[in-house]
Amino acid sequence: MTQIRPRRSVLYMPGANERALEKAKSIDADALILDLEDSVSPDAKDTGRANVCAAVTSGEYGHRELAIRVNSIGTQWHDDDIAAAAKAGPDAILVPKVESAEQVRELVAAIEAAGAPESTQLWAMIETPKALLHAEEIAAAHERLTVIVMGTNDIVNETYGLHVPGRNALVLTSLAWTLLAVRAAGKVVIDGVYNDVKDAEGFAAEARQGREMGFDGKTLIHPSQVEPANEAFAPSAADVERAEGMIAAFDEAAAENKGVATYNGKMIEELHIRDAKRILAYAEALQGR
Ligand SMILES: CC(C)(COP(=O)(O)OP(=O)(O)OC[C@H]1O[C@@H](n2cnc3c(N)ncnc32)[C@H](O)[C@@H]1OP(=O)(O)O)[C@@H](O)C(=O)NCCC(=O)NCCSC(=O)C[C@H](O)C(=O)O
Ligand SMILES: [Mg+2]
């Protein structure tokens, strides 16, 4: 079982917001996206860049995975962002609005040329119609690309859609499609943000929906969303108990040379045991968090 890295809660924060960067040291998110793109105004880009690089090199964020979201390819800030981020060496450099496998390969070459440490992964956002149509090639384009992040705000914007509870149109066109493409490439995929920071119920419903679809976690915009995201995407005590029971029942059947068993009246085969073991590995990875 490959090492599981929990990414239940992936909290964005504006790189120019020093209070948020400070507060994040005590927020129980699995990962932080230190943003230089949409949440940072043009006149604050240089300050944001300096802040996020200092945050990354401070070593004060404990187990939290740190990603720097740079500005997209072709913007006036992109090259300086890549150079500074590569030098700071975060766990990941997140690039928005990626639209092709060729761009992924160019980005890997750029962060390597800028001296990024081996440990710095590339994460890409899929958030435009062209990116969605190329999701499969993007996800499979390079082994250094390990995580895909959904940009649902930009997708709704670019498709002239509406933000509605249940995200019907988004689920059918963009979310399910990208999830399949990323899983086919054996990568990690994180769901988009929920914009109404005051609507805890709506957030919980959307986080549950993302969990049921198979997303690995959810990107967040406010600290109040962290705990409900952690709960939605982590195996519950009941999940762990069921996984242990399934494995025990299957082992008993296997001892009698049977390849199929039942647990609580439901059929279990090898594929169910693989998932049960993944759940136990995930629960173990969360121990001590
Ligand atoms: C949305 C906000 C602007 C709301 O901010 P504010 O009104 O300050 O919220 P609160 O007063 O409730 O804040 C309470 C305390 O929490 C701190 N805080 C708030 N947000 C964050 C955060 N994201 N990370 C860390 N800390 C945070 C406040 O400083 C308060 O602290 P204190 O009172 O001193 O204890 C704000 O939440 C915000 O800026 N959120 C992030 C916005 C962002 O990063 N947007 C970009 C990503 S979304 C996106 O682009 C997705 C994708 O590209 C797409 O296309 O979908
Ligand atoms: Mg976006």
Side-chain angles (χ1 to χ4, degrees), residues 11-15 17-25 27 32-35 37-40 69 94 96-97 125-127 149-157 163 192-193 195 197-198 219-224:
L11 176 64
Y12 282 103
M13 62 201 67
N17 183 335
E18 288 172 30
R19 174 59 197 140
L21 289 171
E22 185 56 33
K23 192 168 174 76
K25 294 173 185 172
I27 296 175
L32 304 173
I33 297 175
L34 312 181
D35 191 24
E37 197 216 16
D38 282 354
S39 67
V40 179
R69 179 167 77 166
L94 171 64
K97 301 183 179 63
M125 294 198 72
I126 287 191
E127 52 180 345
V149 176
M150 297 307 299
T152 42
N153 279 335
D154 275 297
I155 292 170
V156 171
N157 238 18
H163 287 283
V193 295
N195 295 315
V197 293
K198 302 287 181 224
T219 43
L220 313 172
I221 57 168
H222 193 273
S224 62

Side-chain angles (χ1 to χ4, degrees), residues 13-258:
M13 62 201 67
N17 183 335
E18 288 172 30
R19 174 59 197 140
L21 289 171
E22 185 56 33
K23 192 168 174 76
K25 294 173 185 172
S26 59
I27 296 175
D28 189 22
D30 287 335
L32 304 173
I33 297 175
L34 312 181
D35 191 24
L36 298 177
E37 197 216 16
D38 282 354
S39 67
V40 179
S41 61
D43 59 2
K45 295 291 188 186
D46 291 345
T47 310
R49 191 181 299 126
N51 288 350
V52 304
C53 292
V56 165
T57 52
S58 74
E60 294 172 5
Y61 288 82
H63 67 268
R64 295 165 191 80
E65 199 170 20
L66 297 182
I68 294 177
R69 179 167 77 166
V70 298
N71 285 275
S72 53
I73 295 169
T75 60
Q76 65 193 81
W77 306 288
H78 177 76
D79 293 344
D80 289 345
D81 287 352
I82 289 284
K87 195 156 162 255
D91 296 299
I93 292 175
L94 171 64
V95 184
K97 301 183 179 63
V98 170
E99 295 192 311
S100 68
E102 194 195 330
Q103 281 187 340
V104 170
R105 289 188 286 271
E106 283 167 9
L107 286 164
V108 170
I111 63 176
E112 282 174 354
E118 279 293 305
S119 57
T120 295
Q121 301 167 4
L122 176 66
W123 292 8
M125 294 198 72
I126 287 191
E127 52 180 345
T128 68
K130 208 181 275 180
L132 287 163
L133 293 171
H134 296 151
E136 189 177 352
E137 70 164 54
I138 291 169
H142 199 284
E143 61 180 7
R144 195 157 186 172
L145 171 65
T146 53
V147 176
I148 293 292
V149 176
M150 297 307 299
T152 42
N153 279 335
D154 275 297
I155 292 170
V156 171
N157 238 18
E158 299 262 323
T159 51
Y160 308 152
L162 296 174
H163 287 283
V164 292
R167 304 190 292 179
N168 225 4
L170 260 184
V171 166
L172 297 175
T173 54
S174 319
L175 295 176
W177 170 256
T178 307
L179 190 102
L180 287 175
V182 178
R183 284 290 180 255
K187 308 284 177 80
V188 171
V189 60
I190 309 294
D191 197 354
V193 295
Y194 188 80
N195 295 315
D196 185 342
V197 293
K198 302 287 181 224
D199 180 0
E201 208 179 305
F203 175 84
E206 190 168 290
R208 180 70 198 165
Q209 179 195 50
R211 171 71 193 91
E212 288 170 359
M213 287 186 71
F215 281 97
D216 294 281
K218 191 169 180 63
T219 43
L220 313 172
I221 57 168
H222 193 273
S224 62
Q225 298 175 336
V226 170
E227 203 273 323
N230 285 344
E231 194 176 323
F233 285 93
S236 65
D239 293 334
V240 171
E241 190 186 345
R242 188 179 321 110
E244 288 166 344
M246 286 167 66
I247 292 168
F250 193 74
D251 287 349
E252 229 174 274
E256 296 162 17
N257 288 326
K258 291 178 193 158

